[in-house]
């Protein structure tokens, strides 16, 4: 949980999103869950991807494996 809090506080602050920030309730201990276009918007996904890439780069990582759940 500490890494998620670090990422959300430090990197998920987009000055253009001040009036409409990302929903903090989507962050869970081991994943991110929410309803598309309700809890998680397209802008949130882009910002999260940038945050994850920045964090991994700061840790010296060059490659990551990403999985997904195929359920609707």
């Amino acid at each position: 949980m500490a890494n998620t809090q670090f990422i959300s506080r430090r990197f998920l602050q987009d000055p253009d999103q001040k009036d409409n920030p990302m929903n903090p309730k989507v962050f869970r201990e081991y994943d991110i869950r929410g309803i598309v276009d309700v809890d998680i918007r397209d802008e949130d996904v882009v910002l999260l991807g940038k945050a994850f890439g920045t964090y991994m780069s700061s840790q010296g990582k060059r490659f990551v494996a990403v999985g997904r759940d195929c359920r609707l």
Side-chain angles (χ1 to χ4, degrees):
M1 187 71 152
N3 284 343
T4 301
Q5 291 174 347
F6 171 79
I7 291 172
S8 63
R9 277 199 311 270
R10 184 163 178 205
F11 295 114
L12 298 182
Q13 298 172 0
D14 185 350
D16 297 331
Q17 298 285 327
K18 279 192 277 187
D19 297 330
N20 199 2
M22 185 180 296
N23 180 352
K25 294 181 181 180
V26 300
F27 295 98
R28 308 291 175 92
E29 187 171 1
Y30 294 103
D31 61 4
I32 299 170
R33 293 185 188 197
I35 299 171
V36 174
D37 294 330
V38 174
D39 299 314
I40 303 172
R41 301 163 300 174
D42 289 344
E43 306 87 60
D44 299 334
V45 174
V46 171
L47 195 56
L48 184 60
K50 289 179 180 180
F52 182 68
T54 300
Y55 177 76
M56 295 307 286
S57 179
S58 76
Q59 299 298 304
K61 307 299 182 193
R62 293 183 55 207
F63 301 96
V64 297
V66 179
R68 68 183 182 104
D69 187 333
C70 297
R71 295 176 286 182
L72 295 176

